[in-house]
């Protein structure tokens, strides 16, 4: 893949990874892939790219700057890490949790222990609302926070269990896509307008409206937006310089007497790839096909008008964010991860347990399960795939109801300030009593199939009734701070037969590797 051809040119090699690859051993795996791509000449050239498979929506621009220097977590030396909300909550420091658009508990590693902590800090706190009087309700919630408990506000389009239906003290129903005009960018930085085509149900309001009311209630200025276009236009200037910059779309729109949303509506479903540029001479909007484009010269950028007026040229448009502008080969020492892997490695009759998405429920249950009966029929319960040799050894057949359980789910229970270089190594965390071992158990329907590796089970990751993330260790990558979602161990045993074993109305057991 890397060897130059006879004329000295490189072969057109591209590398793609499935995102589960970097949700375990996050830093090492990410650096290893980027290094392999660098060696092969992939990245920033036509036909020579490196990226992740899939096209998730990636949002637009971030909110206010995070005060990193206030984070409770500190790397050895002076560097602080972004706040780990799970760990900060688990250690009892979160007084008020505003949860927006996420199935917080089941989506996270060690979700069983996280659920138990919600029970402790929210449901089991004696300061519970037992009145319809507003002043009394407010006073009760304040007393809970003052006593060390947590008050939960859930802002969602559906009332999710348990974060919304059991733990939320305040529920704010939100509008979703199709119920409000809004702008998003996908994984290839393609910026598009998603137009409203339906009124939001009941009292549901767009997120921007909810935040505006909260901001004004808290006494802040600048929240007087009248519609989502005003929010988008105000935020556009803060996008300048980032990889999805859309400020120049607003500039172009205003030159034509239009709003930013109106201009994007003209661009249709194709949209435009950020960062966007505007040629003041021709009135043309220009997108960016690829970042780190080493084939684009400064002369070409000038000729296309990308350096004029309010256009902002970012280094990563044509180079990499290194001192030389060239890509660096990143270190990926196994020593960062080896002690955690050695401890997690299956023992006795344990198997590796990993999990992920399935195509039919790609949006993690957003609309797919709640509103599409044929998907609920296809996947009515959680399941786990197991290799035939492992299944035979345990007397398990496809359609059997099985119990996946573990008594050693590691949980990094506290935010800490590291002093020495090895303080965040797993062995050191274990020795210093920063790791708590939780128990977890979930049920699933067995699917015996040879396309999973022997010694490994694979489950759907966010079945809200039986979340397999409960079995995954809650120990984040010590460099990136991301969790190793795909890494857990479990024992498995048959507890009976599911009805799907003898009824054929739902849940096929045909191998999913056959396309």
């Amino acid at each position: 893949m890397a060897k130059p051809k006879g004329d000295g040119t490189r072969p057109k090699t591209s590398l793609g990874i499935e995102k589960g690859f970097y949700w375990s051993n996050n830093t090492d795996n990410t650096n290893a892939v980027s290094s392999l791509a660098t060696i092969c000449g992939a990245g920033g050239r036509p036909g020579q790219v490196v990226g992740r498979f899939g096209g998730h929506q990636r949002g637009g621009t971030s909110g206010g700057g995070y005060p990193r220097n206030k984070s409770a977590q500190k790397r050895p030396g002076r560097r602080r890490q972004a706040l780990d909300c799970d760990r900060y909550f688990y250690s009892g420091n979160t007084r008020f949790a505003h949860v927006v658009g996420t199935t917080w508990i089941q989506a996270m590693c060690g979700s069983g222990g996280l659920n138990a902590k919600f029970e402790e800090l929210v449901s089991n706190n004696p300061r519970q609302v037992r009145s319809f009087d507003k002043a009394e309700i407010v006073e009760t919630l304040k007393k809970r926070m003052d006593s060390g408990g947590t008050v939960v506000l859930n802002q969602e389009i559906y009332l999710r269990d348990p974060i919304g239906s059991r733990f939320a003290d305040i529920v704010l129903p939100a509008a979703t896509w199709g119920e409000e005009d809004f702008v998003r960018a996908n994984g290839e930085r393609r910026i598009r307008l998603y137009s409203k085509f339906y009124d939001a149900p009941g009292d549901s309001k767009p997120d921007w409206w909810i935040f505006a009311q909260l901001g004004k209630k808290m006494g802040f200025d600048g929240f007087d937006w009248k519609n989502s276009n005003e929010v988008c236009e105000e935020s556009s200037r803060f996008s300048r310089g980032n990889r999805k910059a859309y400020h120049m779309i607003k500039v172009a729109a205003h030159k034509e007497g239009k709003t930013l949303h109106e201009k994007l509506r003209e661009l249709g479903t194709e949209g435009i790839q950020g960062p966007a540029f505007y040629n003041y001479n021709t009135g043309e909007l220009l997108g960016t096909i690829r970042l780190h484009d080493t084939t684009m010269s400064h002369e070409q950028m000038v000729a296309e008008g990308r350096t004029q007026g309010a256009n902002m040229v970012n280094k990563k448009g044509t180079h990499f964010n290194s001192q030389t502008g060239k890509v660096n080969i990143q270190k990926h020492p196994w020593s960062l991860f080896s002690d955690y892997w050695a401890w997690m490695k299956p023992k006795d009759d344990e198997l590796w347990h990993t999990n992920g998405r399935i195509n039919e429920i790609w949006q993690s249950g957003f609309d797919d399960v709640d509103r599409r009966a044929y998907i609920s029929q296809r996947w009515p319960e959680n399941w786990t795939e197991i290799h035939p040799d492992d299944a035979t050894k345990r007397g398990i057949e496809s359609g059997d109801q099985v119990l996946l359980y573990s008594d050693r789910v590691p949980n990094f229970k506290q935010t800490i300030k590291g002093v020495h270089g090895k303080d965040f190594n797993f062995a050191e965390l274990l020795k210093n009593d920063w790791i708590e071992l939780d128990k977890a158990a979930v049920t699933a329907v067995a699917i015996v199939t040879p396309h999973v590796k022997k010694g490994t089970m694979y489950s759907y990751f966010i079945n809200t009734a039986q979340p397999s993330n409960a079995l995954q260790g809650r120990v984040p990558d010590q460099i990136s701070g991301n969790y190793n979602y795909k890494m857990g161990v479990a024992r498995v045993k048959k507890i009976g037969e599911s009805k799907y074993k003898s009824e054929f109305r739902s849940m096929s057991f045909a191998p999913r590797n056959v396309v």
Side-chain angles (χ1 to χ4, degrees):
M1 296 193 297
K3 185 179 180 180
K5 294 184 285 187
D7 61 2
T9 60
R10 284 184 179 271
K12 285 195 171 183
T13 299
S14 291
L15 282 85
I17 63 167
E18 202 285 320
K19 72 171 186 174
F21 184 73
Y22 61 74
W23 283 127
S24 54
N25 193 6
N26 184 265
T27 295
D28 279 355
N29 283 353
T30 302
N31 288 355
V33 168
S34 66
S35 297
L36 178 61
T38 299
I39 293 168
C40 294
R45 297 172 176 138
Q48 294 171 272
V49 299
V50 56
R52 202 204 79 192
F53 293 129
H56 274 293
Q57 303 298 299
R58 309 297 283 189
T61 192
S62 60
Y66 178 81
R68 181 69 66 89
N69 63 323
K70 302 293 185 183
S71 174
Q73 176 105 346
K74 176 182 168 294
R75 291 282 304 155
R78 294 178 296 172
R79 182 175 299 174
R80 297 205 177 224
Q81 285 187 313
L83 183 67
D84 182 337
C85 292
D86 281 26
R87 207 152 12 116
Y88 199 69
F89 170 81
Y90 193 90
S91 57
N93 292 312
T94 303
R95 301 282 71 83
F96 185 85
H98 185 168
V99 185
V100 184
T102 178
T103 314
W104 184 4
I105 299 171
Q106 297 99 318
M108 302 308 295
C109 292
S111 54
L114 197 59
N115 188 86
K117 188 59 69 170
F118 266 94
E119 295 276 5
E120 174 190 335
L121 297 177
V122 181
S123 303
N124 295 338
N125 187 289
R127 284 81 176 177
Q128 299 295 320
V129 173
R130 309 189 191 282
S131 169
F132 290 102
D133 181 74
K134 183 177 179 180
E136 192 173 337
I137 291 171
V138 171
E139 190 61 28
T140 298
L141 296 180
K142 286 168 63 178
K143 286 181 178 179
R144 186 194 303 168
M145 290 188 286
D146 291 341
S147 70
T150 303
V151 172
V152 178
L153 185 158
N154 189 216
Q155 184 173 323
E156 238 321 349
I157 61 173
Y158 297 121
L159 192 65
R160 292 296 183 204
D161 181 55
I163 191 67
S165 60
R166 281 198 285 147
F167 295 135
D169 299 285
I170 305 163
V171 175
L172 300 179
T176 185
W177 72 275
E179 298 169 355
E180 177 72 353
D181 287 343
F182 73 104
V183 176
R184 292 290 295 274
N186 68 3
E188 61 172 354
R189 299 167 282 104
R190 190 172 297 279
I191 305 162
R192 291 178 285 200
L193 176 70
Y194 292 66
S195 296
K196 175 180 177 177
F197 58 84
Y198 199 83
D199 288 335
D203 294 328
S204 301
K205 297 292 184 183
D207 288 327
W208 69 263
W209 186 92
I210 294 172
F211 287 122
Q213 306 315 304
L214 290 171
K216 288 189 283 189
K217 197 73 174 176
M218 294 170 71
F220 293 107
D221 297 326
F223 288 93
D224 298 319
W225 306 304
K226 296 181 177 62
N227 53 56
S228 58
N229 176 74
E230 290 189 1
V231 180
C232 191
E233 291 200 355
E234 182 178 327
S235 69
S236 72
R237 66 188 179 96
F238 299 102
S239 76
R240 296 178 68 213
N242 76 27
R243 60 193 177 93
K244 300 183 293 289
Y246 53 96
H247 180 67
M248 300 313 293
I249 306 174
K250 184 182 81 169
V251 172
H254 287 191
K255 288 279 187 181
E256 300 172 14
K258 302 167 184 172
T259 66
L260 194 158
H261 276 190
E262 287 171 341
K263 187 62 181 175
L264 275 174
R265 187 171 280 114
E266 290 180 359
L267 298 177
T269 56
E270 289 296 312
I272 187 169
Q273 285 181 277
F277 294 87
Y278 178 65
N279 188 319
Y280 284 82
N281 297 327
T282 65
E284 181 185 8
L285 265 176
L286 304 166
T288 303
I289 295 176
R290 66 185 65 84
L291 298 178
H292 318 298
D293 190 350
T294 57
T295 67
M296 178 175 281
S297 66
H298 177 71
E299 290 74 20
Q300 180 184 349
M301 295 182 69
V302 171
E304 293 179 353
R306 295 176 185 261
T307 60
Q308 301 171 342
N311 285 300
M312 185 171 178
V313 177
N314 190 290
K315 180 179 181 179
K316 59 178 169 279
T318 55
H319 296 78
F320 292 85
N321 283 341
S322 64
Q323 188 174 9
T324 63
K326 296 182 178 180
V327 65
N328 290 329
I329 293 181
Q330 301 292 319
K331 294 188 294 183
H332 40 277
W334 177 240
S335 58
L336 287 175
F337 190 72
S338 57
D339 54 352
Y340 186 52
W341 184 89
W343 187 90
M344 284 290 289
K345 189 176 180 180
K347 297 168 177 57
D348 301 324
D349 60 341
E350 290 179 332
L351 300 172
W352 282 116
H353 177 262
T354 188
N355 58 25
R357 299 174 187 266
I358 44 175
N359 287 336
E360 295 92 336
I361 316 179
W362 185 250
Q363 298 295 349
S364 312
F366 164 68
D367 274 320
D368 298 333
V369 174
D370 285 2
R371 300 175 65 175
R372 296 173 184 164
Y374 65 92
I375 292 179
S376 298
Q377 185 179 27
R378 176 68 179 90
W379 299 112
E381 294 185 31
N382 207 353
W383 44 268
T384 192
E385 294 175 325
I386 183 172
H387 190 275
D389 291 353
D390 296 323
T392 300
K393 183 179 178 180
R394 293 162 176 80
I396 295 171
E397 299 176 340
S398 288
D400 286 343
Q401 200 86 36
V402 295
L403 181 71
L404 285 70
Y405 60 103
S406 175
D407 58 1
R408 59 183 196 103
V409 181
N411 163 26
F412 191 176
K413 62 184 180 180
Q414 180 62 279
T415 53
I416 67 172
K417 294 180 174 63
V419 176
H420 304 290
K422 61 180 182 178
D423 282 353
F424 281 83
N425 286 3
F426 182 75
E428 203 69 13
L429 294 173
L430 203 61
K431 184 180 77 173
N432 292 326
D433 198 32
W434 293 120
I435 299 296
E436 187 172 79
L437 297 185
D438 291 336
K439 295 181 179 180
V442 295
T443 60
V445 178
I447 300 176
V448 180
T449 175
H451 76 254
V452 292
K453 190 175 181 180
K454 185 177 179 180
T456 302
M457 295 182 290
Y458 179 87
S459 308
Y460 175 52
F461 82 115
I462 197 171
N463 179 289
T464 54
Q466 295 293 331
S468 63
N469 270 335
L471 298 163
Q472 310 308 95
R474 190 142 51 84
V475 180
D477 185 286
Q478 61 171 297
I479 302 298
S480 69
N482 292 326
Y483 280 89
N484 297 299
Y485 287 99
K486 308 305 177 186
M487 192 172 179
V489 293
R491 292 181 169 88
V492 58
K493 66 179 181 181
K494 176 180 176 178
I495 56 175
E497 293 185 355
S498 74
K499 62 181 181 180
Y500 314 110
K501 190 172 183 177
S502 55
E503 296 178 5
F504 303 103
R505 296 183 64 253
S506 61
M507 205 166 200
S508 166
F509 301 114
R512 293 194 306 117
N513 61 326
V514 178
V515 179

